Amino acid sequence: MTGIGMVTPAGLTTDETWDSVLAGRPTAAADPALAGLPVELSCRAAEFDGDTVLGRRTAWRLDRCTQLALAAGWAAVADAGLDPGDWDGTRVGTILGTAFGGIGTWEREHRKLLELGAERISSLTVPMSLTNMMAGRLATDVKAGGPSFVTSSACASGATAIGTARELLRSGACDIVLAGGAESSLVHSVVAAFDRAGALSHYKDGPSKASRPFDTGRDGFVIAEASAVLVLERPEHAQARGARAYAYVSGYGASADAGHETRPDPEGLGAERAVCAALQDADSSPADVTHVNAHGTSTPLNDVAEGRMIRRVLGSHPVTSSVKGVTGHSLGAAGAVEAAITALSLKHQTVPMTAGLTHQDPAVDLDIVAGTSRPVTMETALSNSFGFGGQNAVLVLTRP
């Protein structure tokens, strides 16, 4: 992993996001765009302005989800010290994950259809709304002619994209892959639907306490938007150009609960298979894992199921945390954001605190970092991502 680009509620750059996560600054706030809904709270990247970052002529043709992906993608390329004008684009892939894609455009144009008639719908509705467009547009922008597509495995989408990118590198199909995820689905239909499913926090103690992974008072997640793109290279390619490495993506495992559509397996058995597959792929053992960046959604069911699984498979020694107390849950982008944070944890030898955690659920018998971030000597870390549909993706990251 030679480059990282992020746009999140915690910051418009990778450094800003990392600093906010380390400080444990929650980003949940009342969202005027959601006024009138039972839940009016989100973690929005409010300072991101597509017109400013991409230029108005470009931004107006793109859904906000794609705008976020392009901003993170270009930042990652720059961070890696790469110039698209110099590379062989046929050897560069673009694999991004998302859950909802351009649903913001779709909802806006559907409202026009109902209120103003068919002739008022934008002629760009389809290309702006298509789920694959973020990967297609990023490929166009950076002249990447290799494999380009979107993975969609709900909240595991970003991690699935990174794991898929790794396979393209291992197979020799690509020398470089831009991999990650983006999500911007802070719209009425999505937020109302998640609330009806009982998934969202009603933040009885105020927005700053709404997202509190592993806390006894948790009552649901806070929906967020974000993007993160990583530059992944074959080691020999990165070494030949003298590139710096944040981390190695040493293992990837995926599985399905094959159970309920929305509830995780109560013992985390599907997630366990993904963890074990990732460790086997990395030629690592549970004893090697020092840190787990947990999925940690702040929902009553997920946190207990994941906590039980981590304790059963890895024991009590890994230092565990969840960044969602700061960033909220960015759905299809979450796995990419958290893989980037895990890589930065390895680089800085520091595990971020779990914001919002003041009273740890006794059903989660783990060493969870709370109160302040913690220096930890570590070589191997896991990044867990689990999604509706029982879809699980786990990444093993190792220190260079």
Side-chain angles (χ1 to χ4, degrees):
M1 187 188 304
T2 59
I4 299 175
M6 283 196 280
V7 180
T8 76
L12 300 186
T13 67
T14 297
D15 287 345
E16 288 178 3
T17 296
W18 174 248
D19 289 346
S20 293
V21 168
L22 277 188
R25 292 192 288 266
T27 60
D31 189 337
L34 303 179
L37 295 179
V39 172
E40 300 179 350
L41 189 70
S42 77
C43 292
R44 185 181 289 274
E47 295 183 5
F48 176 78
D49 179 71
D51 289 356
T52 300
V53 176
L54 305 173
R56 189 172 184 278
R57 290 189 64 185
T58 296
W60 78 272
R61 301 174 63 88
L62 306 174
D63 184 84
R64 185 171 170 87
C65 185
T66 301
Q67 293 178 16
L68 290 168
L70 291 186
W74 276 110
V77 170
D79 186 49
L82 290 165
D83 182 352
D86 295 336
W87 64 29
D88 177 2
T90 64
R91 301 285 299 166
V92 180
T94 48
I95 313 298
L96 301 180
T98 190
F100 288 100
I103 195 167
T105 295
W106 197 259
E107 182 173 284
R108 182 188 68 236
E109 298 304 318
H110 182 250
R111 188 178 297 115
K112 286 184 186 177
L113 172 66
L114 296 180
E115 296 177 358
L116 302 174
E119 67 279 0
R120 297 298 298 274
I121 292 177
S122 170
S123 60
L124 296 174
T125 298
V126 171
M128 291 175 73
S129 301
L130 286 174
T131 304
N132 71 298
M133 197 52 64
M134 65 178 70
R137 182 56 194 251
L138 180 59
T140 299
D141 272 21
V142 301
K143 301 178 176 63
S148 177
F149 54 88
V150 160
T151 59
S152 190
S153 48
C155 302
S157 298
T160 303
I162 295 167
T164 302
R166 178 173 179 269
E167 295 307 310
L168 289 173
L169 295 170
R170 292 176 74 186
S171 71
C174 296
D175 294 325
I176 303 169
V177 182
L178 309 186
E183 197 79 73
S184 184
S185 52
L186 305 182
V187 296
H188 280 223
S189 57
V190 173
V191 174
F194 270 123
D195 183 54
R196 287 290 293 158
L200 299 183
S201 171
H202 281 246
Y203 53 104
K204 296 181 178 64
D205 297 326
S208 67
K209 293 290 187 180
S211 183
R212 38 184 157 182
F214 302 112
D215 192 88
T216 54
R218 68 191 185 279
D219 67 336
F221 70 79
V222 178
I223 193 168
E225 65 176 1
S227 63
V229 176
L230 314 176
V231 176
L232 303 181
E233 300 181 56
R234 291 189 299 110
E236 53 268 37
H237 186 275
Q239 290 161 9
R241 68 182 190 88
R244 162 216 56 201
Y246 286 100
Y248 288 106
V249 183
S250 298
Y252 168 63
S255 69
D257 285 357
H260 195 270
E261 293 93 335
T262 58
R263 290 196 303 269
D265 181 283
E267 298 300 323
L269 297 179
E272 177 179 343
R273 290 193 297 275
V275 168
C276 292
L279 290 173
Q280 182 177 16
D281 190 33
D283 195 23
S284 297
S285 72
D288 295 326
V289 179
T290 307
H291 167 46
V292 177
N293 187 307
H295 188 53
T297 57
S298 183
T299 56
L301 296 180
N302 173 87
D303 290 5
V304 170
E306 183 177 15
R308 287 173 175 165
M309 181 276 294
I310 292 171
R311 178 59 189 256
R312 183 174 64 250
V313 178
L314 302 177
S316 60
H317 71 275
V319 179
T320 300
S321 67
S322 169
V323 303
K324 290 186 176 74
V326 171
T327 64
H329 191 356
S330 56
L331 310 178
V337 170
E338 289 156 22
I341 294 295
T342 305
L344 293 170
S345 296
L346 287 167
K347 176 186 176 183
H348 296 290
Q349 296 288 278
T350 303
V351 174
M353 64 181 289
T354 304
L357 175 55
T358 55
H359 299 94
Q360 185 170 325
D361 190 331
V364 181
D365 186 14
L366 296 172
D367 180 7
I368 300 179
V369 179
T372 186
S373 296
R374 186 191 304 178
V376 176
T377 301
M378 50 185 155
E379 298 293 327
T380 302
L382 293 187
S383 184
N384 291 342
S385 298
F386 312 130
F388 277 10
Q391 296 180 289
N392 310 301
V394 175
L395 299 167
V396 178
L397 273 61
T398 54
R399 193 180 185 192

Short mmCIF file of all heavy atoms in Angstrom, two decimals, residues 338-393:
data_model
loop_
_atom_site.label_atom_id
_atom_site.label_comp_id
_atom_site.label_asym_id
_atom_site.label_seq_id
_atom_site.Cartn_x
_atom_site.Cartn_y
_atom_site.Cartn_z
N GLU A 338 -11.45 2.09 6.95
CA GLU A 338 -10.86 1.41 8.10
C GLU A 338 -9.59 0.64 7.75
O GLU A 338 -8.69 0.51 8.58
CB GLU A 338 -11.93 0.53 8.75
CG GLU A 338 -12.97 1.41 9.46
CD GLU A 338 -14.33 0.78 9.65
OE1 GLU A 338 -14.41 -0.48 9.64
OE2 GLU A 338 -15.31 1.54 9.81
N ALA A 339 -9.48 0.17 6.51
CA ALA A 339 -8.21 -0.41 6.08
C ALA A 339 -7.12 0.66 6.06
O ALA A 339 -5.97 0.40 6.45
CB ALA A 339 -8.36 -1.05 4.70
N ALA A 340 -7.48 1.86 5.60
CA ALA A 340 -6.51 2.96 5.59
C ALA A 340 -6.10 3.32 7.01
O ALA A 340 -4.90 3.53 7.30
CB ALA A 340 -7.11 4.18 4.89
N ILE A 341 -7.05 3.40 7.94
CA ILE A 341 -6.74 3.71 9.33
C ILE A 341 -5.87 2.62 9.93
O ILE A 341 -4.93 2.88 10.70
CB ILE A 341 -8.02 3.91 10.15
CG1 ILE A 341 -8.79 5.15 9.66
CG2 ILE A 341 -7.71 4.00 11.64
CD1 ILE A 341 -8.07 6.46 9.88
N THR A 342 -6.15 1.36 9.59
CA THR A 342 -5.33 0.26 10.11
C THR A 342 -3.90 0.36 9.62
O THR A 342 -2.95 0.13 10.37
CB THR A 342 -5.95 -1.09 9.70
OG1 THR A 342 -7.31 -1.15 10.12
CG2 THR A 342 -5.19 -2.26 10.31
N ALA A 343 -3.73 0.72 8.34
CA ALA A 343 -2.38 0.91 7.81
C ALA A 343 -1.65 2.03 8.53
O ALA A 343 -0.46 1.93 8.85
CB ALA A 343 -2.44 1.20 6.31
N LEU A 344 -2.36 3.12 8.83
CA LEU A 344 -1.75 4.23 9.55
C LEU A 344 -1.43 3.83 10.99
O LEU A 344 -0.43 4.29 11.57
CB LEU A 344 -2.67 5.44 9.52
CG LEU A 344 -2.85 6.08 8.14
CD1 LEU A 344 -3.98 7.11 8.17
CD2 LEU A 344 -1.57 6.72 7.65
N SER A 345 -2.26 2.98 11.58
CA SER A 345 -1.97 2.47 12.92
C SER A 345 -0.66 1.70 12.93
O SER A 345 0.16 1.84 13.85
CB SER A 345 -3.11 1.57 13.41
OG SER A 345 -4.31 2.30 13.56
N LEU A 346 -0.45 0.87 11.89
CA LEU A 346 0.80 0.13 11.79
C LEU A 346 1.99 1.07 11.59
O LEU A 346 3.05 0.91 12.20
CB LEU A 346 0.73 -0.86 10.63
CG LEU A 346 -0.14 -2.11 10.85
CD1 LEU A 346 -0.37 -2.82 9.53
CD2 LEU A 346 0.50 -3.04 11.87
N LYS A 347 1.79 2.07 10.74
CA LYS A 347 2.88 3.01 10.48
C LYS A 347 3.28 3.77 11.74
O LYS A 347 4.47 3.92 12.05
CB LYS A 347 2.46 4.01 9.40
CG LYS A 347 3.51 5.08 9.13
CD LYS A 347 3.02 6.15 8.17
CE LYS A 347 4.07 7.25 8.02
NZ LYS A 347 3.60 8.36 7.14
N HIS A 348 2.28 4.26 12.47
CA HIS A 348 2.54 5.10 13.64
C HIS A 348 2.62 4.31 14.94
O HIS A 348 2.88 4.91 16.00
CB HIS A 348 1.46 6.17 13.76
CG HIS A 348 1.43 7.13 12.61
ND1 HIS A 348 2.42 8.07 12.40
CD2 HIS A 348 0.53 7.30 11.60
CE1 HIS A 348 2.14 8.78 11.32
NE2 HIS A 348 0.99 8.33 10.81
N GLN A 349 2.36 2.97 14.85
CA GLN A 349 2.41 2.12 16.04
C GLN A 349 1.50 2.67 17.14
O GLN A 349 1.87 2.75 18.31
CB GLN A 349 3.85 1.98 16.53
CG GLN A 349 4.77 1.26 15.55
CD GLN A 349 4.48 -0.24 15.46
OE1 GLN A 349 4.94 -1.02 16.29
NE2 GLN A 349 3.74 -0.64 14.41
N THR A 350 0.29 3.02 16.71
CA THR A 350 -0.69 3.60 17.62
C THR A 350 -2.08 3.08 17.26
O THR A 350 -2.47 3.10 16.08
CB THR A 350 -0.70 5.13 17.54
OG1 THR A 350 0.61 5.62 17.82
CG2 THR A 350 -1.68 5.73 18.53
N VAL A 351 -2.82 2.65 18.27
CA VAL A 351 -4.20 2.20 18.07
C VAL A 351 -5.14 3.32 18.48
O VAL A 351 -5.10 3.78 19.63
CB VAL A 351 -4.50 0.93 18.88
CG1 VAL A 351 -5.98 0.56 18.78
CG2 VAL A 351 -3.63 -0.23 18.39
N PRO A 352 -6.00 3.79 17.55
CA PRO A 352 -6.93 4.87 17.91
C PRO A 352 -7.93 4.45 18.98
O PRO A 352 -8.31 3.28 19.09
CB PRO A 352 -7.64 5.17 16.59
CG PRO A 352 -6.76 4.61 15.53
CD PRO A 352 -6.09 3.42 16.14
N MET A 353 -8.36 5.41 19.75
CA MET A 353 -9.38 5.16 20.76
C MET A 353 -10.73 4.89 20.12
O MET A 353 -10.98 5.28 18.97
CB MET A 353 -9.49 6.35 21.70
CG MET A 353 -9.98 7.62 21.02
SD MET A 353 -10.08 9.05 22.12
CE MET A 353 -11.47 8.59 23.14
N THR A 354 -11.61 4.22 20.86
CA THR A 354 -12.99 4.00 20.43
C THR A 354 -13.83 5.11 21.05
O THR A 354 -14.20 5.05 22.23
CB THR A 354 -13.48 2.62 20.88
OG1 THR A 354 -12.60 1.62 20.39
CG2 THR A 354 -14.89 2.35 20.38
N ALA A 355 -14.10 6.14 20.28
CA ALA A 355 -14.86 7.29 20.79
C ALA A 355 -16.26 6.85 21.20
O ALA A 355 -16.88 5.99 20.57
CB ALA A 355 -14.92 8.38 19.74
N GLY A 356 -16.77 7.45 22.26
CA GLY A 356 -18.11 7.15 22.74
C GLY A 356 -18.20 5.99 23.70
O GLY A 356 -19.24 5.77 24.31
N LEU A 357 -17.11 5.23 23.85
CA LEU A 357 -17.12 4.07 24.74
C LEU A 357 -16.75 4.51 26.16
O LEU A 357 -15.61 4.89 26.42
CB LEU A 357 -16.14 3.01 24.24
CG LEU A 357 -15.94 1.79 25.13
CD1 LEU A 357 -17.26 1.10 25.43
CD2 LEU A 357 -14.95 0.82 24.49
N THR A 358 -17.73 4.46 27.04
CA THR A 358 -17.47 4.80 28.45
C THR A 358 -17.79 3.64 29.38
O THR A 358 -17.17 3.50 30.43
CB THR A 358 -18.30 6.03 28.87
OG1 THR A 358 -19.69 5.79 28.59
CG2 THR A 358 -17.84 7.27 28.12
N HIS A 359 -18.74 2.79 29.01
CA HIS A 359 -19.09 1.62 29.81
C HIS A 359 -19.13 0.40 28.89
O HIS A 359 -20.12 0.17 28.19
CB HIS A 359 -20.44 1.80 30.50
CG HIS A 359 -20.48 2.96 31.45
ND1 HIS A 359 -20.91 4.22 31.08
CD2 HIS A 359 -20.09 3.06 32.76
CE1 HIS A 359 -20.82 5.04 32.11
NE2 HIS A 359 -20.32 4.37 33.14
N GLN A 360 -18.04 -0.36 28.89
CA GLN A 360 -17.92 -1.48 27.95
C GLN A 360 -18.93 -2.58 28.29
O GLN A 360 -19.10 -2.96 29.45
CB GLN A 360 -16.50 -2.04 27.99
CG GLN A 360 -16.26 -3.15 26.96
CD GLN A 360 -14.79 -3.50 26.85
OE1 GLN A 360 -13.91 -2.65 26.99
NE2 GLN A 360 -14.51 -4.77 26.58
N ASP A 361 -19.58 -3.08 27.26
CA ASP A 361 -20.53 -4.17 27.41
C ASP A 361 -19.81 -5.39 27.98
O ASP A 361 -18.82 -5.86 27.39
CB ASP A 361 -21.13 -4.51 26.04
CG ASP A 361 -22.30 -5.47 26.12
OD1 ASP A 361 -22.35 -6.29 27.05
OD2 ASP A 361 -23.16 -5.43 25.22
N PRO A 362 -20.24 -5.91 29.12
CA PRO A 362 -19.56 -7.07 29.70
C PRO A 362 -19.62 -8.32 28.82
O PRO A 362 -18.82 -9.25 29.01
CB PRO A 362 -20.29 -7.29 31.02
CG PRO A 362 -21.60 -6.58 30.87
CD PRO A 362 -21.34 -5.43 29.95
N ALA A 363 -20.53 -8.33 27.85
CA ALA A 363 -20.59 -9.47 26.92
C ALA A 363 -19.45 -9.44 25.92
O ALA A 363 -19.23 -10.42 25.19
CB ALA A 363 -21.93 -9.47 26.19
N VAL A 364 -18.73 -8.32 25.85
CA VAL A 364 -17.59 -8.19 24.94
C VAL A 364 -16.32 -8.19 25.78
O VAL A 364 -15.89 -7.17 26.31
CB VAL A 364 -17.69 -6.89 24.12
CG1 VAL A 364 -16.52 -6.78 23.15
CG2 VAL A 364 -19.01 -6.85 23.34
N ASP A 365 -15.73 -9.37 25.93
CA ASP A 365 -14.58 -9.55 26.81
C ASP A 365 -13.29 -9.38 26.02
O ASP A 365 -12.58 -10.34 25.70
CB ASP A 365 -14.65 -10.94 27.44
CG ASP A 365 -13.56 -11.14 28.49
OD1 ASP A 365 -12.95 -10.15 28.91
OD2 ASP A 365 -13.33 -12.31 28.88
N LEU A 366 -12.99 -8.11 25.68
CA LEU A 366 -11.82 -7.80 24.87
C LEU A 366 -11.10 -6.58 25.45
O LEU A 366 -11.68 -5.80 26.20
CB LEU A 366 -12.25 -7.48 23.42
CG LEU A 366 -12.90 -8.58 22.60
CD1 LEU A 366 -13.43 -8.01 21.29
CD2 LEU A 366 -11.91 -9.71 22.33
N ASP A 367 -9.85 -6.42 25.03
CA ASP A 367 -9.08 -5.23 25.39
C ASP A 367 -9.39 -4.16 24.35
O ASP A 367 -8.74 -4.07 23.30
CB ASP A 367 -7.58 -5.56 25.39
CG ASP A 367 -6.72 -4.36 25.76
OD1 ASP A 367 -7.29 -3.31 26.14
OD2 ASP A 367 -5.48 -4.47 25.64
N ILE A 368 -10.40 -3.34 24.63
CA ILE A 368 -10.84 -2.30 23.71
C ILE A 368 -10.28 -0.95 24.17
O ILE A 368 -10.43 -0.57 25.33
CB ILE A 368 -12.37 -2.24 23.61
CG1 ILE A 368 -12.91 -3.60 23.11
CG2 ILE A 368 -12.81 -1.12 22.67
CD1 ILE A 368 -14.42 -3.67 23.01
N VAL A 369 -9.66 -0.25 23.25
CA VAL A 369 -9.03 1.03 23.58
C VAL A 369 -10.11 2.09 23.74
O VAL A 369 -10.92 2.32 22.83
CB VAL A 369 -8.03 1.45 22.49
CG1 VAL A 369 -7.40 2.79 22.85
CG2 VAL A 369 -6.94 0.39 22.34
N ALA A 370 -10.12 2.74 24.89
CA ALA A 370 -11.10 3.80 25.16
C ALA A 370 -10.42 4.89 25.97
O ALA A 370 -9.42 4.66 26.64
CB ALA A 370 -12.30 3.24 25.91
N GLY A 371 -10.98 6.08 25.89
CA GLY A 371 -10.46 7.19 26.68
C GLY A 371 -9.36 7.97 26.01
O GLY A 371 -9.39 9.20 25.96
N THR A 372 -8.38 7.27 25.48
CA THR A 372 -7.29 7.89 24.74
C THR A 372 -6.65 6.86 23.84
O THR A 372 -6.74 5.64 24.10
CB THR A 372 -6.23 8.47 25.71
OG1 THR A 372 -5.25 9.21 24.98
CG2 THR A 372 -5.53 7.37 26.49
N SER A 373 -6.04 7.30 22.76
CA SER A 373 -5.37 6.36 21.86
C SER A 373 -4.13 5.80 22.55
O SER A 373 -3.59 6.41 23.49
CB SER A 373 -5.00 7.06 20.56
OG SER A 373 -6.18 7.48 19.88
N ARG A 374 -3.69 4.62 22.09
CA ARG A 374 -2.66 3.89 22.82
C ARG A 374 -1.49 3.49 21.93
O ARG A 374 -1.69 2.86 20.88
CB ARG A 374 -3.29 2.63 23.41
CG ARG A 374 -2.34 1.83 24.32
CD ARG A 374 -2.93 0.46 24.66
NE ARG A 374 -4.26 0.53 25.26
CZ ARG A 374 -4.97 -0.55 25.59
NH1 ARG A 374 -4.47 -1.76 25.35
NH2 ARG A 374 -6.16 -0.42 26.12
N PRO A 375 -0.27 3.81 22.33
CA PRO A 375 0.90 3.30 21.61
C PRO A 375 0.97 1.77 21.76
O PRO A 375 0.85 1.25 22.88
CB PRO A 375 2.09 3.97 22.29
CG PRO A 375 1.50 5.13 23.05
CD PRO A 375 0.12 4.71 23.43
N VAL A 376 1.15 1.07 20.66
CA VAL A 376 1.23 -0.39 20.68
C VAL A 376 2.28 -0.84 19.68
O VAL A 376 2.27 -0.39 18.53
CB VAL A 376 -0.14 -1.03 20.32
CG1 VAL A 376 -0.01 -2.55 20.26
CG2 VAL A 376 -1.21 -0.63 21.32
N THR A 377 3.17 -1.71 20.09
CA THR A 377 4.13 -2.30 19.15
C THR A 377 3.43 -3.42 18.40
O THR A 377 2.92 -4.37 19.01
CB THR A 377 5.35 -2.85 19.91
OG1 THR A 377 5.97 -1.78 20.62
CG2 THR A 377 6.35 -3.47 18.94
N MET A 378 3.34 -3.31 17.10
CA MET A 378 2.57 -4.29 16.32
C MET A 378 3.17 -4.50 14.94
O MET A 378 3.70 -3.58 14.33
CB MET A 378 1.10 -3.87 16.22
CG MET A 378 0.87 -2.45 15.76
SD MET A 378 -0.88 -1.97 15.79
CE MET A 378 -0.73 -0.19 15.97
N GLU A 379 3.03 -5.73 14.48
CA GLU A 379 3.48 -6.12 13.15
C GLU A 379 2.31 -6.54 12.27
O GLU A 379 2.37 -6.40 11.05
CB GLU A 379 4.49 -7.27 13.24
CG GLU A 379 5.76 -6.93 14.00
CD GLU A 379 6.62 -5.90 13.27
OE1 GLU A 379 6.62 -5.91 12.02
OE2 GLU A 379 7.27 -5.09 13.96
N THR A 380 1.25 -7.09 12.88
CA THR A 380 0.13 -7.65 12.12
C THR A 380 -1.19 -7.16 12.71
O THR A 380 -1.38 -7.16 13.93
CB THR A 380 0.16 -9.19 12.17
OG1 THR A 380 1.41 -9.65 11.64
CG2 THR A 380 -0.98 -9.79 11.36
N ALA A 381 -2.09 -6.74 11.83
CA ALA A 381 -3.40 -6.23 12.27
C ALA A 381 -4.49 -6.75 11.34
O ALA A 381 -4.24 -7.04 10.16
CB ALA A 381 -3.40 -4.71 12.29
N LEU A 382 -5.68 -6.86 11.87
CA LEU A 382 -6.86 -7.23 11.08
C LEU A 382 -7.77 -6.01 10.92
O LEU A 382 -7.89 -5.19 11.83
CB LEU A 382 -7.68 -8.32 11.77
CG LEU A 382 -7.12 -9.72 11.93
CD1 LEU A 382 -8.21 -10.63 12.48
CD2 LEU A 382 -6.58 -10.26 10.63
N SER A 383 -8.43 -5.95 9.77
CA SER A 383 -9.50 -4.98 9.55
C SER A 383 -10.74 -5.76 9.15
O SER A 383 -10.77 -6.41 8.09
CB SER A 383 -9.11 -3.97 8.46
OG SER A 383 -10.10 -2.98 8.30
N ASN A 384 -11.77 -5.72 10.01
CA ASN A 384 -12.99 -6.49 9.80
C ASN A 384 -14.08 -5.65 9.16
O ASN A 384 -14.27 -4.49 9.55
CB ASN A 384 -13.54 -7.00 11.14
CG ASN A 384 -12.68 -8.06 11.78
OD1 ASN A 384 -11.84 -8.68 11.13
ND2 ASN A 384 -12.88 -8.28 13.08
N SER A 385 -14.80 -6.24 8.21
CA SER A 385 -15.95 -5.57 7.59
C SER A 385 -17.04 -6.59 7.35
O SER A 385 -16.80 -7.63 6.71
CB SER A 385 -15.55 -4.92 6.26
OG SER A 385 -14.57 -3.94 6.45
N PHE A 386 -18.24 -6.30 7.83
CA PHE A 386 -19.36 -7.22 7.70
C PHE A 386 -20.58 -6.45 7.18
O PHE A 386 -20.80 -5.30 7.56
CB PHE A 386 -19.70 -7.86 9.05
CG PHE A 386 -18.49 -8.40 9.77
CD1 PHE A 386 -18.26 -8.07 11.10
CD2 PHE A 386 -17.58 -9.22 9.12
CE1 PHE A 386 -17.15 -8.56 11.77
CE2 PHE A 386 -16.47 -9.72 9.77
CZ PHE A 386 -16.24 -9.39 11.10
N GLY A 387 -21.40 -7.09 6.34
CA GLY A 387 -22.51 -6.38 5.72
C GLY A 387 -23.82 -7.13 5.76
O GLY A 387 -23.85 -8.35 5.97
N PHE A 388 -24.90 -6.37 5.54
CA PHE A 388 -26.21 -7.00 5.36
C PHE A 388 -26.10 -8.06 4.26
O PHE A 388 -25.33 -7.93 3.32
CB PHE A 388 -27.24 -5.95 4.95
CG PHE A 388 -27.82 -5.17 6.11
CD1 PHE A 388 -27.30 -5.26 7.39
CD2 PHE A 388 -28.90 -4.32 5.91
CE1 PHE A 388 -27.84 -4.54 8.45
CE2 PHE A 388 -29.45 -3.58 6.96
CZ PHE A 388 -28.92 -3.70 8.23
N GLY A 389 -26.92 -9.08 4.39
CA GLY A 389 -26.80 -10.23 3.51
C GLY A 389 -25.82 -11.25 4.06
O GLY A 389 -25.56 -12.27 3.42
N GLY A 390 -25.27 -10.95 5.25
CA GLY A 390 -24.32 -11.88 5.86
C GLY A 390 -23.00 -11.95 5.13
O GLY A 390 -22.32 -12.98 5.15
N GLN A 391 -22.59 -10.85 4.49
CA GLN A 391 -21.36 -10.85 3.70
C GLN A 391 -20.21 -10.29 4.52
O GLN A 391 -20.28 -9.19 5.07
CB GLN A 391 -21.57 -10.06 2.41
CG GLN A 391 -22.62 -10.75 1.53
CD GLN A 391 -22.87 -10.03 0.24
OE1 GLN A 391 -23.46 -8.96 0.23
NE2 GLN A 391 -22.45 -10.62 -0.87
N ASN A 392 -19.13 -11.08 4.60
CA ASN A 392 -18.01 -10.76 5.46
C ASN A 392 -16.72 -10.65 4.65
O ASN A 392 -16.48 -11.45 3.75
CB ASN A 392 -17.83 -11.87 6.50
CG ASN A 392 -19.13 -12.22 7.21
OD1 ASN A 392 -19.74 -11.36 7.83
ND2 ASN A 392 -19.56 -13.47 7.10
N ALA A 393 -15.90 -9.66 5.00
CA ALA A 393 -14.60 -9.48 4.35
C ALA A 393 -13.59 -9.06 5.41
O ALA A 393 -13.86 -8.12 6.18
CB ALA A 393 -14.67 -8.45 3.23
#
